[in-house]
Structure formats: structure tokens, C-alpha cells
């Protein structure tokens, strides 16, 4: 079995797992824990969707939005006083947002390359040649 996917997507998987588990080593509970855990989990899901469906533009956009949300989480949820947790959210949020933005053009290219009109020029809707 060959592992595929862009390296940026795998970086997002690692960042999502780190975010989802970071509350453990920061000792956070309640809303901060839930915010990091769910945002990390959703990031992993979006990254896996991007790996398995490279032309799916929405997964890259969702990843960028999740990264921005994670970056803002310390202020929105109110854990800027937990220095390590806040820095984790800021760094991982920046990385996830950057990966989402960098992957958007590549996903757009893969989307257009994989569309039926580009694959079968001169072919009908079901792949049969037009006469």
C-alpha cells in the first residue's frame, strides 16, 4: 500500500493530533480543553479528507478557517493566562491556517484536472464519444 497525499496535509494531521491532545500536558479542563480537542479533531478530519480527495477544495478552506479559529481560541475561550496552552493554540493555529491557504491552489488544480470535462474531451456525459 502506497501512502499518498501532499506533505502539507500530513503536517495538518500532525498539528491536529497535537492540538487534540495538548490539553493533557497543559492540564486544561472545561471549555479550553473542549475547544482545543474539537478543533484538533476537526482539523484531522479535514486533512484526511484532503489526503483522500485531493481535488476537494472545501477541505482546504475548512482547514484555513479552523486554523484561524484555533489561533483566536485563547481570547475567545479565555485561557490566555495558561501561557503554554495559549502558545500552543497560536502556533498550531498559524500552522493549520497556513497549510490550508497554501493547499488551496493545489486543490483547485487537482479539482480542475480531475473534472470530467477535462478528462474526456469530446466525450459525452457517460464517457462515450460524441459523433
Amino acid at each position: 500500500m502506497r501512502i499518498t497525499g501532499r506533505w502539507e496535509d500530513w503536517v495538518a494531521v500532525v498539528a491536529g493530533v497535537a492540538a487534540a491532545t495538548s490539553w493533557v500536558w497543559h492540564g486544561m479542563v472545561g471549555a479550553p480543553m473542549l475547544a482545543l480537542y474539537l478543533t484538533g479533531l476537526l482539523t484531522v478530519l479535514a486533512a484526511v479528507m484532503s489526503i483522500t480527495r485531493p481535488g476537494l477544495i472545501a477541505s482546504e478552506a475548512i482547514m484555513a478557517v479552523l486554523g484561524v479559529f484555533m489561533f483566536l481560541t485563547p481570547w475567545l475561550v479565555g485561557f490566555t493566562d495558561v501561557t503554554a496552552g495559549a502558545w500552543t493554540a497560536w502556533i498550531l493555529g498559524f500552522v493549520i491556517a497556513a497549510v490550508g491557504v497554501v493547499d488551496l491552489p493545489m486543490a483547485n488544480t487537482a479539482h480542475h484536472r480531475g473534472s470530467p470535462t477535462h478528462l474526456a474531451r469530446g466525450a459525452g456525459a457517460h464517457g462515450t464519444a460524441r459523433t
Side-chain angles (χ1 to χ4, degrees), residues 34-58:
L34 191 61
L36 286 176
Y37 178 74
L38 289 178
T39 307
L41 218 55
L42 290 172
T43 300
V44 170
L45 178 65
V48 168
M49 286 176 56
S50 182
I51 290 168
T52 58
R53 296 184 174 108
L56 188 61
I57 298 169

Side-chain angles (χ1 to χ4, degrees), residues 7-117:
W7 67 267
E8 294 92 346
D9 297 328
W10 290 103
V11 168
V13 168
V14 171
V17 169
T21 58
S22 68
W23 62 271
V24 173
W25 63 80
H26 296 314
M28 294 189 299
V29 294
M33 177 212 57
L34 191 61
L36 286 176
Y37 178 74
L38 289 178
T39 307
L41 218 55
L42 290 172
T43 300
V44 170
L45 178 65
V48 168
M49 286 176 56
S50 182
I51 290 168
T52 58
R53 296 184 174 108
L56 188 61
I57 298 169
S59 63
E60 308 302 342
I62 289 169
M63 209 174 325
V65 169
L66 286 169
V68 170
F69 176 75
M70 185 176 294
F71 186 85
L72 296 175
T73 297
W75 293 290
L76 295 174
V77 181
F79 63 93
T80 54
D81 57 330
V82 181
T83 308
W87 275 102
T88 299
W90 292 327
I91 292 169
L92 292 177
F94 177 79
V95 168
I96 293 166
V99 164
V101 169
V102 166
D103 265 357
L104 273 171
M106 290 182 269
N108 191 29
T109 301
H111 175 74
H112 288 299
R113 201 176 297 142
S115 68
T117 56

